[in-house]
Amino acid sequence: MVRVKSIGHAWCALALVLLAGCDSGHKDAAQETAPASEAAISAARFEWFKYSGNDPAFETSGDLSTGYVNPVLAGFYPDPSVTRAGDDYYLVTSTFGYFPGIPVMHSRDLVNWEQVGNVIDRPGMLDFDGLGLSRGVFAPTIEFHDSTFYVGNTCVDCGGNFIVTTQDPAGPWSDPIWLPEVGGIDPSVFFDEDGKVYVINNDSPPEEALYEGHRAIWIREVDPKTFQSISEPIVLIDGGIHPEEKPIWIEGPHIYRIGDWYYLSAAEGGTAVDHSQVVLRSKTVTGPYVAYEDNPILTQRDQPEDRSDPITSVGHADLVQDGAGQWWATFLGVRPYEDDYYNTGRETFLLPVDWSSGWPVILPKGELVPHFVSKRPSAPAAEAPSVPLAGNFEYVEEFNADRLPFNWMTLRVPTSQWWTLQDGELRLEPRPVDLGAGAQPSFWGRRQQHQNASAETSLIFTPEAAGEEAGLAVFQNDNYFYALGITRDEAGNVSVILRRKAGPEAALGGEEVAVQGIEPLPGTAIQLRITARGDVYDFAYRLDGDSDWITLAEGLDGKILSTHVAGGFVGAVFGLYAQSPAASP
């Protein structure tokens, strides 16, 4: 069992005044705690949260002292980008409309990762108001150059392309440096040996698009300090490596200079089952680039659909060289429990890169992405992180620090302080913002990282008005979730209630699936549990002091929490929430 007891600093008060009142050296202001209002103190009190996951695919007879288990970041950690700084590696992934955004991972061995901060960690950096949960920050890229870290990213529907910088990857990061001349998505930064700096990105083709998904990769030289364009943009790839086949969604570009060659690698085929990684090379950074004749260098689209424990949809790779000269690729993939159904989102995988052909081959054609890789990177194995991110594990958060762990997220950007950590509890103020309202509710959560998983919490909550509610949710997006909570009806009766929202046409709070009246003693706890079993979920509760769980509902449809049904790019999140009815007009 892992009990997280993270150590933080004393933080500034309200999220509204963080920019004006906080010392710039404070880390991850988004999850700072402060003295809360009386309303928050008397609100929903969560004593602890426990997550556990156990997937058969992670049980291996291989030697973990010499090998490792994929994915190295389980759950919703998509679009990984990696860089090396001396003996340290840093990795970032997408978070879309969640906040804090863009987790920063640190490792000494490329296998054991620990989150050290978030890039987008304070109000005012970006604004996600009114955005769908799969908008916001898309695939980030991270580079280390001359003592500075750079992250390029796109805020989709909220400002466009930007770069942020820092000398400490744990943060704070600079405010966004906007790139108004750079369209499209997925900007990456390339520092050439002659001192020139380039931005590479995905955008519309130079002429009218010939088909849906017809995109191009562009490059332009930028000022090393302002990152504003100082050259006309040039097209490096129009459509993809075989334009005659009408390839779709060329994106996520990276350039690497190795010897006399510039290698350009990009994702192609979309991020579903046809996803792939391709590579081209040139003697000059602006091309022309020639494609590797045995592309793609990574895909699983040619594998039988009925294989056991499949890993699919692989791509969006980034390369890094370890201290012994071996190259490695981080990339995204998914683990469906059936067909293309998966609730855990797109995850981060690691594989060695073979350069024997003069090209970076991540996986030879016809081979499966392995769950167990027999050879680790050269660096000595790092200590296991305090918050597990791979394999099977159990994790308990006891809320006894002065900040939440970095991996906890909320929806969109808070504009007020509706939570506090006090006396070993996470306290949430019920506000008139429902789950599913497309707004910013009182909600903190963490990712579902296994097909077979459970989340439990202990809640002390006395609803003071009809319609007040607090509890535990499993949330995919604003239109697809289950919420297991404690509420009060108009007659004053307190109940455990399970609500389900399954589609954009459903009622705001979803439909009532099950309800059970209870009579908790004032000030006593009730425990709530949600269990995922692949494509079904179970919901249970027990009163404080009871040993047996009471099943409220079991075997409910979990496919509504899959990307295949719900759409978008995020994974399911287990979260703690509190809400109150809207005031009468």
Side-chain angles (χ1 to χ4, degrees):
M1 176 181 294
V2 175
R3 293 189 177 271
V4 177
K5 298 182 179 179
S6 55
I7 300 173
H9 302 282
W11 301 97
C12 298
L14 296 178
L16 281 172
V17 299
L18 286 174
L19 289 178
C22 279
D23 177 2
S24 62
H26 288 161
K27 306 295 192 296
D28 218 335
Q31 291 155 296
E32 297 166 4
T33 187
S37 64
E38 288 299 319
I41 290 173
S42 63
R45 299 161 50 193
F46 295 90
E47 297 182 299
W48 48 261
F49 172 92
K50 180 169 74 172
Y51 173 89
S52 59
N54 193 322
D55 286 349
F58 291 156
E59 298 297 332
T60 177
S61 58
D63 185 353
L64 290 177
S65 68
T66 57
Y68 63 91
V69 173
N70 262 324
V72 292
L73 298 180
F76 163 46
Y77 290 104
D79 308 315
S81 177
V82 64
T83 195
R84 178 183 167 196
D87 293 330
D88 298 281
Y89 303 92
Y90 295 93
L91 182 148
V92 293
T93 68
S94 301
T95 42
F96 301 95
Y98 278 103
F99 182 83
I102 310 181
V104 181
M105 304 291 182
H106 169 254
S107 177
R108 297 299 295 269
D109 63 1
L110 287 169
V111 172
N112 292 288
W113 294 92
E114 183 153 22
Q115 190 170 348
V116 296
N118 292 281
V119 174
I120 308 302
D121 71 348
R122 58 187 183 270
M125 293 183 77
L126 297 174
D127 183 1
F128 300 156
D129 283 359
L131 299 185
L133 201 54
S134 284
R135 310 309 282 174
V137 289
F138 276 39
T141 61
I142 186 169
E143 298 290 344
F144 176 70
H145 175 74
D146 195 19
S147 301
T148 299
F149 292 86
Y150 301 81
V151 164
N153 195 230
T154 313
C155 197
V156 175
D157 298 335
C158 47
N161 291 304
F162 64 91
I163 291 173
V164 290
T165 67
T166 188
Q167 291 190 318
D168 181 357
W173 291 74
S174 71
D175 287 337
I177 303 167
W178 295 101
L179 309 175
E181 296 178 340
V182 180
I185 59 173
D186 297 357
S188 65
V189 185
F190 174 68
F191 298 90
D192 208 347
E193 294 175 357
D194 60 4
K196 293 184 177 181
V197 183
Y198 298 87
V199 168
I200 311 100
N201 64 292
N202 152 297
D203 203 354
S204 300
E207 307 295 337
E208 183 178 353
L210 300 177
Y211 52 88
E212 177 69 18
H214 179 192
R215 305 290 284 177
I217 301 299
W218 296 75
I219 189 172
R220 73 192 70 211
E221 186 181 354
V222 298
D223 182 277
K225 294 183 179 179
T226 67
F227 296 100
Q228 302 310 300
S229 299
I230 58 175
S231 76
E232 292 297 318
I234 297 172
V235 173
L236 300 182
I237 309 174
D238 186 354
I241 57 171
H242 294 296
E244 70 280 3
E245 297 178 4
K246 297 184 177 181
I248 60 172
W249 306 120
I250 191 80
E251 57 191 354
H254 299 277
I255 287 180
Y256 315 90
R257 184 167 183 176
I258 302 170
D260 295 331
W261 292 100
Y262 294 89
Y263 289 85
L264 168 61
S265 186
E268 188 180 281
T271 58
V273 293
D274 289 330
H275 204 194
S276 69
Q277 193 74 18
V278 298
V279 66
L280 308 88
R281 71 182 182 185
S282 172
K283 289 287 188 177
T284 60
V285 67
T286 56
Y289 281 82
V290 177
Y292 176 43
E293 63 180 10
D294 286 332
N295 272 315
I297 58 172
L298 172 69
T299 193
Q300 293 287 268
R301 64 190 179 206
D302 53 356
Q303 298 298 328
E305 294 182 1
D306 60 351
R307 63 192 185 276
S308 61
D309 295 323
I311 297 168
T312 73
S313 308
V314 297
H316 267 74
D318 196 6
L319 308 183
V320 68
Q321 190 177 29
D322 69 18
Q326 171 68 51
W327 285 82
W328 296 84
T330 60
F331 58 93
L332 72 82
V334 303
R335 297 180 298 120
Y337 48 76
E338 176 187 329
D339 298 328
D340 191 34
Y341 293 98
Y342 55 92
N343 298 6
T344 44
R346 299 172 299 157
E347 306 174 298
T348 291
F349 292 76
L350 177 75
L351 281 180
V353 179
D354 179 9
W355 282 90
S356 60
S357 64
W359 296 86
V361 178
I362 302 170
L363 194 70
K365 289 182 180 179
E367 290 194 14
L368 296 172
V369 175
H371 278 285
F372 177 73
V373 181
S374 60
K375 184 179 179 180
R376 296 174 61 95
S378 61
E383 293 184 4
S386 58
V387 178
L389 291 168
N392 291 324
F393 59 82
E394 184 174 277
Y395 155 104
V396 178
E397 173 53 51
E398 295 177 316
F399 303 126
N400 56 3
D402 59 7
R403 56 169 305 283
L404 286 169
F406 291 120
N407 63 320
W408 284 67
M409 308 179 296
T410 189
L411 311 177
R412 305 174 183 90
V413 183
T415 57
S416 64
Q417 183 84 20
W418 40 261
W419 72 94
T420 187
L421 288 162
Q422 184 173 335
D423 298 330
E425 298 172 342
L426 172 62
R427 301 183 179 186
L428 303 185
E429 177 184 354
R431 298 181 297 137
V433 183
D434 287 355
L435 290 177
Q440 209 290 297
S442 297
F443 174 97
W444 280 109
R446 49 99 67 218
R447 298 156 176 83
Q448 178 181 334
Q449 296 177 274
H450 301 78
Q451 296 173 355
N452 301 303
S454 68
E456 300 175 20
T457 192
S458 178
L459 169 63
I460 299 173
F461 177 59
T462 303
E464 296 182 354
E468 276 196 350
E469 183 179 326
L472 175 66
V474 57
F475 192 90
Q476 219 285 340
N477 62 35
D478 292 292
N479 294 320
Y480 295 88
F481 62 83
Y482 286 98
L484 175 65
I486 310 302
T487 191
R488 177 181 175 183
D489 63 21
E490 294 288 349
N493 301 310
V494 177
S495 302
V496 180
I497 188 171
L498 176 63
R499 294 180 292 111
R500 171 180 58 203
K501 188 176 183 184
E505 304 304 319
L508 175 63
E511 61 176 329
E512 181 181 303
V513 176
V515 63
Q516 177 67 55
I518 57 174
E519 296 182 6
L521 295 175
T524 61
I526 184 169
Q527 294 174 15
L528 306 172
R529 183 177 70 188
I530 301 177
T531 303
R533 296 182 287 117
D535 66 341
V536 297
Y537 284 67
D538 306 328
F539 303 84
Y541 71 94
R542 64 183 177 190
L543 299 179
D544 192 42
D546 291 349
S547 58
D548 296 330
W549 290 91
I550 299 172
T551 298
L552 189 64
E554 63 182 343
L556 299 190
D557 181 15
K559 289 181 178 177
I560 68 167
L561 305 175
S562 71
T563 304
H564 189 82
V565 171
F569 307 115
V570 302
V573 169
F574 289 115
L576 309 176
Y577 73 94
Q579 61 190 44
S580 63
S584 301

